[in-house]
Short mmCIF file of all heavy atoms in Angstrom, two decimals:
data_model
loop_
_atom_site.label_atom_id
_atom_site.label_comp_id
_atom_site.label_asym_id
_atom_site.label_seq_id
_atom_site.Cartn_x
_atom_site.Cartn_y
_atom_site.Cartn_z
N ILE A 689 -20.55 -24.31 28.98
CA ILE A 689 -21.25 -25.04 30.03
C ILE A 689 -20.33 -25.30 31.22
O ILE A 689 -20.71 -25.11 32.39
CB ILE A 689 -21.79 -26.38 29.45
CG1 ILE A 689 -22.82 -26.07 28.37
CG2 ILE A 689 -22.41 -27.23 30.56
CD1 ILE A 689 -23.29 -27.31 27.64
N MET A 690 -19.08 -25.73 30.96
CA MET A 690 -18.17 -26.04 32.06
C MET A 690 -17.78 -24.79 32.85
O MET A 690 -17.71 -24.83 34.08
CB MET A 690 -16.93 -26.74 31.51
CG MET A 690 -17.17 -28.17 31.05
SD MET A 690 -15.67 -29.11 30.69
CE MET A 690 -15.16 -28.35 29.15
N VAL A 691 -17.56 -23.68 32.17
CA VAL A 691 -17.24 -22.43 32.86
C VAL A 691 -18.43 -21.96 33.65
O VAL A 691 -18.27 -21.42 34.79
CB VAL A 691 -16.76 -21.36 31.88
CG1 VAL A 691 -16.61 -20.03 32.56
CG2 VAL A 691 -15.45 -21.79 31.23
N LEU A 692 -19.64 -22.12 33.12
CA LEU A 692 -20.85 -21.79 33.88
C LEU A 692 -20.91 -22.61 35.17
O LEU A 692 -21.23 -22.09 36.24
CB LEU A 692 -22.10 -22.04 33.02
CG LEU A 692 -23.46 -21.89 33.73
CD1 LEU A 692 -23.66 -20.46 34.22
CD2 LEU A 692 -24.59 -22.33 32.79
N GLY A 693 -20.62 -23.90 35.05
CA GLY A 693 -20.62 -24.75 36.25
C GLY A 693 -19.59 -24.30 37.28
O GLY A 693 -19.90 -24.29 38.48
N ALA A 694 -18.41 -23.91 36.81
CA ALA A 694 -17.37 -23.44 37.73
C ALA A 694 -17.84 -22.16 38.42
O ALA A 694 -17.61 -21.96 39.63
CB ALA A 694 -16.07 -23.21 36.97
N ALA A 695 -18.50 -21.26 37.66
CA ALA A 695 -18.98 -20.01 38.25
C ALA A 695 -20.04 -20.29 39.31
O ALA A 695 -20.08 -19.65 40.37
CB ALA A 695 -19.53 -19.10 37.15
N VAL A 696 -20.96 -21.22 39.03
CA VAL A 696 -21.99 -21.58 40.00
C VAL A 696 -21.35 -22.13 41.27
O VAL A 696 -21.72 -21.77 42.40
CB VAL A 696 -22.99 -22.59 39.40
CG1 VAL A 696 -23.89 -23.18 40.48
CG2 VAL A 696 -23.80 -21.97 38.29
N SER A 697 -20.37 -22.99 41.12
CA SER A 697 -19.70 -23.58 42.28
C SER A 697 -18.93 -22.53 43.07
O SER A 697 -18.95 -22.54 44.30
CB SER A 697 -18.77 -24.69 41.82
OG SER A 697 -18.23 -25.39 42.91
N LEU A 698 -18.27 -21.61 42.39
CA LEU A 698 -17.48 -20.57 43.07
C LEU A 698 -18.38 -19.56 43.78
O LEU A 698 -17.94 -18.87 44.70
CB LEU A 698 -16.59 -19.85 42.07
CG LEU A 698 -15.35 -20.61 41.61
CD1 LEU A 698 -14.72 -19.89 40.41
CD2 LEU A 698 -14.36 -20.75 42.75
N SER A 699 -19.64 -19.47 43.36
CA SER A 699 -20.57 -18.51 44.00
C SER A 699 -20.99 -18.93 45.38
O SER A 699 -21.61 -18.17 46.09
CB SER A 699 -21.80 -18.31 43.12
OG SER A 699 -22.59 -19.49 43.06
N HIS A 700 -20.69 -20.16 45.76
CA HIS A 700 -21.06 -20.69 47.07
C HIS A 700 -20.11 -20.15 48.11
O HIS A 700 -18.92 -20.45 48.10
CB HIS A 700 -21.00 -22.22 47.05
CG HIS A 700 -21.59 -22.87 48.26
ND1 HIS A 700 -22.93 -23.05 48.45
CD2 HIS A 700 -21.00 -23.40 49.36
CE1 HIS A 700 -23.16 -23.66 49.59
NE2 HIS A 700 -22.01 -23.89 50.17
N ARG A 701 -20.59 -19.37 49.09
CA ARG A 701 -19.73 -18.69 50.04
C ARG A 701 -19.98 -19.05 51.48
O ARG A 701 -19.22 -18.66 52.35
CB ARG A 701 -19.89 -17.16 49.88
CG ARG A 701 -19.31 -16.63 48.60
CD ARG A 701 -17.82 -16.80 48.56
NE ARG A 701 -17.20 -16.32 47.34
CZ ARG A 701 -15.90 -16.42 47.08
NH1 ARG A 701 -15.11 -17.01 47.94
NH2 ARG A 701 -15.42 -15.96 45.94
N ILE A 702 -21.07 -19.77 51.77
CA ILE A 702 -21.36 -20.08 53.19
C ILE A 702 -20.37 -21.07 53.69
O ILE A 702 -19.72 -21.82 52.93
CB ILE A 702 -22.81 -20.59 53.36
CG1 ILE A 702 -23.03 -21.90 52.55
CG2 ILE A 702 -23.80 -19.54 52.97
CD1 ILE A 702 -24.38 -22.51 52.76
N ARG A 703 -20.21 -21.12 55.02
CA ARG A 703 -19.18 -21.96 55.63
C ARG A 703 -19.34 -23.43 55.30
O ARG A 703 -18.43 -24.10 54.85
CB ARG A 703 -19.21 -21.78 57.15
CG ARG A 703 -18.78 -20.41 57.62
CD ARG A 703 -17.30 -20.33 57.67
NE ARG A 703 -16.83 -19.04 58.15
CZ ARG A 703 -15.57 -18.74 58.33
NH1 ARG A 703 -14.64 -19.62 58.04
NH2 ARG A 703 -15.19 -17.57 58.75
N LYS A 704 -20.57 -23.95 55.50
CA LYS A 704 -20.81 -25.35 55.23
C LYS A 704 -20.93 -25.53 53.73
O LYS A 704 -21.78 -24.93 53.10
CB LYS A 704 -22.05 -25.86 55.96
CG LYS A 704 -22.19 -27.37 55.93
CD LYS A 704 -23.31 -27.81 56.85
CE LYS A 704 -23.45 -29.32 56.86
NZ LYS A 704 -22.29 -30.01 57.35
N ARG A 705 -20.10 -26.38 53.15
CA ARG A 705 -19.97 -26.45 51.70
C ARG A 705 -21.21 -27.03 51.03
O ARG A 705 -21.64 -26.57 49.98
CB ARG A 705 -18.73 -27.25 51.31
CG ARG A 705 -18.20 -26.89 49.97
CD ARG A 705 -16.91 -27.63 49.68
NE ARG A 705 -17.12 -29.05 49.63
CZ ARG A 705 -17.62 -29.69 48.59
NH1 ARG A 705 -17.94 -29.02 47.52
NH2 ARG A 705 -17.76 -30.98 48.60
N SER A 706 -21.79 -28.02 51.64
CA SER A 706 -23.02 -28.62 51.06
C SER A 706 -23.68 -29.47 52.12
O SER A 706 -23.08 -29.85 53.13
CB SER A 706 -22.72 -29.48 49.82
OG SER A 706 -21.87 -30.56 50.19
#
Side-chain angles (χ1 to χ4, degrees):
I689 297 174
M690 288 190 288
V691 172
L692 173 63
V696 170
S697 187
L698 285 168
S699 68
H700 189 80
R701 290 294 180 183
I702 61 176
R703 292 278 182 177
K704 192 170 180 62
R705 205 175 63 80
S706 62

